[in-house]
Amino acid sequence: MNDQYEYAEKSLTPRIAQHLIIELFTGRTVQKQEIINVVDETHIERGGLPARARFHHPVTLALSNMKQEGRANNPNPGDGNWFIPSILQDGEGVDDGGVSSEETDLDSERTIGSGESSVYVYYFPAYKHLAELQGKQVWPCKIGKTRYDAIDRVRSQTRTALPEYPIIGLIIKTDKLRLMETTIQGILKLQGKQKQDAPGTEWFITSPSEVEQVYESNFGNS
């Protein structure tokens, strides 16, 4: 659980969904189903509880409210795409002139394994550069999991308010998602590699190659 997450142990509601949509998708045009998938996954991953709604998913209600407020629009409702603009601080306009999708496209340096889900490792170049200057071979890396597209998952976490784009050092495709993430993170914790001062529990002082070695030692023949 992320102790710093404001909505930990709270069921997903339209208000919470709206906050997550703005955080994760500002400046992007995204399929509604992807928004639902990522919002659900992010809320649960951070320690939240599933939605209790029986009829309309909280994301559906959040998007409807946001459209009325000018915080989202779907010019062609039939295609399922929603655009989440950047609201200016004075609230009197939108800025949709952000970085183009071509400039923010991410890719994985290495993808291994097979399966429908993924465990991923990403880091910021400054961390690696500092480690190299200090003669070290490990640096802060985030190890997470997703049942959906790993590159989209990383992009949704890191696209705003950051000084540089992340490097996705490794994607491990798997059908044993929870077991693999828990095993890899657990081994690194036992080795004292968890970054204690990071927000959340998924940052480790490691490297993509080291994570791959842990994977090969435990799942390489499976």
Side-chain angles (χ1 to χ4, degrees):
M1 180 189 299
N2 184 347
D3 294 334
Q4 298 184 2
Y5 182 47
E6 180 181 358
Y7 307 114
E9 298 186 355
K10 295 182 180 180
S11 297
L12 184 65
T13 64
R15 182 175 68 88
I16 296 173
Q18 179 169 326
H19 288 182
L20 290 172
I21 291 168
I22 293 171
E23 174 192 343
L24 300 170
F25 297 105
T26 292
R28 292 180 59 192
T29 298
V30 195
Q31 277 278 325
K32 178 182 174 181
Q33 189 58 52
E34 180 182 349
I35 297 175
I36 291 174
N37 293 342
V38 173
V39 166
D40 276 342
E41 187 173 80
T42 300
H43 182 62
I44 298 297
E45 183 180 275
R46 293 180 179 179
L49 301 176
R52 295 179 179 176
R54 297 178 58 188
F55 301 106
H56 298 293
H57 192 280
V59 165
T60 299
L61 298 176
L63 288 172
S64 177
N65 293 338
M66 291 170 69
K67 184 174 182 179
Q68 294 179 19
E69 298 169 358
R71 291 176 174 266
N73 64 73
N74 57 333
N76 300 300
D79 64 13
N81 286 322
W82 284 81
F83 175 64
I84 314 301
S86 301
I87 304 298
L88 299 179
Q89 290 185 349
D90 61 9
E92 294 182 354
V94 299
D95 175 13
D96 59 0
V99 181
S100 70
S101 60
E102 290 80 6
E103 293 174 309
T104 59
D105 275 349
L106 300 176
D107 201 359
S108 171
E109 292 186 318
R110 181 163 171 76
T111 300
I112 59 177
S114 63
E116 297 299 318
S117 303
S118 301
V119 171
Y120 56 82
V121 182
Y122 75 78
Y123 60 90
F124 294 100
Y127 293 158
K128 181 178 181 181
H129 180 62
L130 179 59
E132 291 173 339
L133 290 176
Q134 296 173 339
K136 299 177 181 178
Q137 296 182 335
V138 292
W139 57 90
C141 297
K142 180 167 183 179
I143 303 172
K145 68 179 186 298
T146 181
R147 289 171 292 168
Y148 308 105
D149 184 88
I151 293 175
D152 281 347
R153 181 75 178 105
V154 174
R155 183 186 292 116
S156 72
Q157 293 182 55
T158 61
R159 69 166 308 280
T160 60
L162 295 170
E164 60 181 350
Y165 298 119
I167 302 295
I168 306 175
L170 179 66
I171 292 176
I172 306 173
K173 306 294 290 183
T174 181
D175 288 323
K176 302 176 181 179
L177 183 60
R178 185 174 296 277
L179 173 63
M180 185 172 294
E181 185 204 39
T182 301
T183 299
I184 291 173
Q185 290 187 354
I187 289 172
L188 293 175
K189 287 177 184 177
L190 289 174
Q191 295 175 347
K193 292 180 175 290
Q194 187 172 31
K195 197 173 189 304
Q196 299 298 327
D197 58 350
T201 60
E202 298 184 330
W203 285 91
F204 297 84
I205 306 300
T206 183
S207 69
S209 61
E210 187 174 72
V211 173
E212 183 173 348
Q213 290 173 9
V214 175
Y215 160 76
E216 291 292 350
S217 297
N218 293 273
F219 299 96
N221 296 322
S222 60

